[in-house]
Amino acid sequence: MPPDEARPGTLRTLIDFAQPLGTGGRLRLGFGEPSRVLVARTADEVRPVLDAVEALAREGRWCVGYLRYEAAAAFDRAFAVHAADGPLAWFGVHDEALPWPEATDNDAPASLDWQLGLSRADFDSRMQAIHRAISNGELYQLNYTATLHADFHGEPLALFMALRQAQPDGYAAFIDAGEEQLLSVSPELFFDWQGERILTRPMKGTAPRGATPAEDEALAQRLRTVPKERAENVMIVDLIRNDLSRVAKPFSVRVPRLFHTEALPTVWQMTSDVEALVREGTTLADAFAALFPCGSITGAPKVSAMRMIRELEPEARGVYCGAVGVVQPGGHAIFNVPIRTVALRGAQARCGIGSGITADARADAEWEEWRHKRAFLDRAGRASGPPFDLLETLALVDGELRDAPAHLARMAIAAAHFERPWNQASVASCLDDLKARHATGMWRVRLLLDAQGTPRAEAFAMEAPPARVLLQLATRPFGEAHSEFTRFKTTRRAHYEALAPTESGAFDTLLWNRDGEITECTRGNIALLLDGRWVTPPLRCGLLGGIGRANRLRSGQLAEAVVRVDDLPRVQALAFVNSLRGWIDADFAPFQK
């Protein structure tokens, strides 16, 4: 809403920032209506706005705001950018800070249907253009991005809270600038400048989180050691060292930490620290002139990379890849690189996504990295969905629970992922009580864990599994293959139920992902006899790591292999596999032959 329409007492700005150079803890504050607003709409106005911000902060005010990526032209006319789609710089000035709201009365945000305005074919074509430029010696690396768009009808603050829950820690900021609202939950520090010390922490290198602790650690280790990721990181470290030297005291630039992996909810990210002592007389505008835009979101060399970015990207980046931050009373400045940022304008939402392209980058891997990076948006969407419990389904036969330790271990991992309390003794006691009431017969047990960590168990009479079943092949890709609600078993199963069998006599549906890779069935895993050996899809294809599947991988009865839909005519036999029912031989339903 415009400033003159703001409701009295309404929080217009929230910041929740880490303090790398502070005393620990977080800078978590709210701000009401600004006493004044500083706006730059032309390149010539950007430096005066930053000078005013610095002066007002030294007088005791709080200044919170942002610079668009397109503000780069204010610091170097050689930086090629599109025409800006809003203010180049915007800062609200506040006489006092307010406490962070303990609770809000906002409704849960509506789920947004994000659409990427870039086809895979166009992505591949631009990757080829970047590789040609690298081969021709025009640049070493380029950060290529695209924009996700969605219709938005809801309360911006509620969406921010959901995003912050999905992407905690880091540098979160909600700024209602009237004509637009910025919802940044970026994990990347641009710079933290206090006194004479300035710290930058560029983020370069990404890997997905694993479905198990062992896989998670293996992915982190791989990120730290893969030459491509290390090269990408060190190129930007060198660029920022050079940028920082423009305002640093001689010989004070150093790199105290290199190739550090940070665990975020949906990805591993690799960061490095570059710090320096700032020369006397350096202003906030000088610091931006030396460092902006951050090299991690341009590439190297910066001028050449930005020129190619303007050629390849059809629209302005906006606040995405710019800077969002706060200058505290006295002058301590903390700014993030808004790489996980949603911009709202009216009924439209936009969010950028991208990655650094080097000579050895592969289109498939980069496209996959984009998918992992945008997962925080999908994770935020769970706040708008119905409540859910964690779920394990076990077979209880004559008083004995099949594979109980493995099921409890898997539920404990899910509880950690969804940040739910886990008490092994309480869960075991719950199951013991159920076993005592069902000492004979065959039962299907549903073990549930709610958001407070309270377990409950239910038992349902179960018949012996059939000797053979029919499977129906899904008629469309399983869009949620890589969702956390696929990797972890919960009661939120609408994405599975939407692909339940539609043909009479079909036992279950065989699913496949957007890349045409077989994943699993809606209620169990799949085993396929292909080229003389039994295989099952690897977890990276997007599926639940079933207990029955794990047992057979361990015994050597199954091996992991990618199987595509196109490979199905060569499959010699099929089997449905899970812990509850065991191994059931399967065929494709006759209507698919």
Side-chain angles (χ1 to χ4, degrees):
M1 68 183 71
D4 58 357
E5 295 180 16
R7 296 185 297 274
T10 299
L11 284 171
R12 296 290 299 277
T13 299
L14 294 171
I15 57 170
D16 182 9
F17 276 22
Q19 299 189 86
L21 293 182
T23 57
R26 299 185 63 79
L27 187 66
R28 184 177 290 137
L29 298 168
F31 300 90
E33 188 70 22
S35 59
R36 62 186 292 191
V37 174
L38 306 173
V39 181
R41 296 191 180 274
T42 68
D44 290 339
E45 294 171 342
V46 172
R47 274 182 171 269
V49 163
L50 292 174
D51 289 340
V53 164
E54 185 171 25
L56 288 164
R58 296 198 182 282
E59 292 174 7
R61 272 75 168 193
W62 293 83
C63 300
V64 188
Y66 55 83
L67 274 71
R68 271 177 161 71
Y69 171 83
E70 290 72 33
F75 308 112
D76 191 332
R77 298 295 180 178
F79 289 159
V81 292
H82 287 292
D85 56 357
L88 292 176
W90 187 100
F91 283 86
V93 181
H94 304 272
D95 296 330
E96 62 176 354
L98 304 173
W100 180 273
E102 291 302 319
T104 66
D105 57 1
N106 296 302
D107 294 331
S111 181
L112 276 66
D113 182 19
W114 292 100
Q115 300 295 322
L116 180 63
L118 178 74
S119 70
R120 177 59 197 270
D122 286 341
F123 176 84
D124 289 353
S125 175
R126 286 164 172 77
M127 281 282 293
Q128 292 170 5
I130 296 168
H131 280 143
R132 283 195 299 271
I134 294 173
S135 297
N136 293 337
E138 299 171 31
L139 42 84
Y140 304 109
Q141 178 187 161
L142 184 129
N143 194 76
Y144 176 54
T145 78
T147 306
L148 296 157
H149 295 272
D151 293 331
F152 176 75
H153 303 282
E155 175 59 47
L157 186 56
L159 178 57
F160 169 71
M161 291 299 187
L163 290 166
R164 178 172 164 269
Q165 182 179 358
Q167 181 81 58
D169 303 324
Y171 305 88
F174 171 83
I175 301 175
D176 183 351
E179 63 185 275
E180 63 184 348
Q181 294 80 41
L182 275 301
L183 290 58
S184 180
V185 291
S186 176
E188 182 172 7
L189 175 67
F190 180 24
F191 66 82
D192 187 342
W193 180 17
Q194 184 175 22
E196 67 173 0
R197 184 183 174 197
I198 189 167
L199 167 70
T200 67
R201 185 168 288 161
M203 183 172 282
K204 268 301 169 194
T206 305
R209 297 300 304 272
T212 66
E215 182 190 18
D216 201 37
E217 178 54 36
L219 289 166
Q221 179 63 21
R222 182 178 184 277
L223 176 62
R224 288 189 288 267
T225 56
V226 167
K228 182 261 181 189
E229 302 289 357
R230 292 169 69 92
E232 183 179 343
N233 188 283
V234 80
M235 282 182 199
I236 299 308
V237 166
D238 285 345
L239 186 155
I240 290 178
R241 288 175 61 192
N242 183 67
D243 285 353
L244 202 51
S245 68
R246 297 165 63 186
V247 293
K249 291 181 178 179
F251 311 111
S252 70
V253 178
R254 66 190 196 97
V255 182
R257 188 171 69 168
L258 195 63
F259 307 140
H260 174 69
T261 49
E262 297 183 7
L264 305 179
T266 56
V267 293
W268 284 99
Q269 297 274 192
M270 187 157 62
T271 64
S272 294
D273 287 5
V274 187
E275 63 179 25
L277 301 178
V278 178
R279 291 197 299 266
E280 291 183 10
T282 300
T283 66
L284 182 64
D286 292 335
F288 270 93
L291 296 169
F292 189 85
C294 184
S296 64
I297 51 78
T298 62
K302 190 179 285 188
V303 170
S304 299
M306 292 182 69
R307 186 181 303 120
M308 190 165 196
I309 286 170
R310 188 178 66 175
E311 293 172 0
L312 295 180
E313 299 179 14
E315 57 186 308
R317 289 183 172 183
V319 178
Y320 170 64
C321 293
V324 173
V326 55
V327 185
Q328 303 172 52
H332 181 185
I334 310 177
F335 283 84
N336 74 34
V337 181
I339 55 170
R340 303 286 187 271
T341 298
V342 174
L344 302 176
R345 184 172 292 181
Q348 295 297 310
R350 55 181 290 175
C351 178
I353 205 79
S355 62
I357 311 302
T358 55
D360 55 355
R362 296 182 298 104
D364 286 348
E366 298 302 321
W367 186 258
E368 185 76 356
E369 182 174 316
W370 283 25
R371 183 182 62 75
H372 293 309
K373 286 180 175 177
R374 65 174 285 179
F376 84 103
L377 296 171
D378 301 327
R379 196 167 205 258
R382 88 176 193 214
S384 62
F388 64 92
D389 294 335
L390 305 186
L391 170 66
E392 290 293 325
T393 307
L394 302 83
L396 175 60
V397 182
D398 294 333
E400 293 298 325
L401 284 166
R402 185 184 300 156
D403 297 321
H407 281 284
L408 266 58
R410 188 172 68 172
M411 180 173 268
I413 293 169
H417 175 81
F418 289 109
E419 299 178 344
R420 297 192 172 190
W422 174 256
N423 185 314
Q424 180 93 5
S426 174
V427 175
S429 175
C430 176
L431 287 175
D432 287 342
D433 290 344
L434 181 135
K435 286 166 57 179
R437 299 194 304 271
H438 302 83
T440 61
M442 184 180 296
W443 304 87
R444 175 173 61 88
V445 173
R446 281 168 52 92
L447 174 63
L448 302 157
L449 190 79
D450 67 16
Q452 289 70 47
T454 303
R456 70 183 188 278
E458 308 165 339
F460 305 88
M462 184 174 72
E463 296 180 355
R468 199 170 194 91
V469 295
L470 294 177
L471 300 179
Q472 171 185 339
L473 183 65
T475 57
R476 65 179 187 274
F478 184 41
E480 299 295 318
H482 298 281
S483 162
E484 61 187 338
F485 291 101
T486 296
R487 290 189 295 119
F488 299 98
K489 192 169 185 177
T490 76
T491 56
R492 187 175 290 185
R493 293 183 51 83
H495 51 302
Y496 283 118
E497 292 163 1
L499 290 169
T502 56
E503 300 291 343
S504 176
F507 176 78
D508 206 342
T509 305
L510 182 60
L511 308 177
W512 46 282
N513 63 27
R514 297 185 189 277
D515 295 322
E517 299 166 337
I518 299 298
T519 60
E520 60 182 337
C521 297
T522 73
R523 294 179 291 161
N525 294 119
I526 188 70
L528 309 99
L529 183 59
L530 184 64
D531 298 330
R533 64 172 187 153
W534 282 99
V535 299
T536 190
L539 296 179
R540 65 179 178 81
C541 291
L543 56 131
L544 177 70
I547 303 302
R549 171 187 179 276
N551 289 342
R552 285 164 173 80
L553 283 170
R554 221 172 9 252
S555 71
Q557 183 180 0
L558 285 175
E560 289 187 336
V562 174
V563 181
R564 305 181 62 81
V565 173
D566 293 344
D567 296 325
L568 289 177
R570 298 191 296 112
V571 170
Q572 300 159 287
L574 295 167
F576 174 96
V577 181
N578 70 10
S579 175
L580 180 68
R581 295 179 176 86
W583 177 288
I584 306 177
D585 291 330
D587 297 301
F588 277 128
F591 43 81
Q592 293 182 298
K593 287 185 178 178

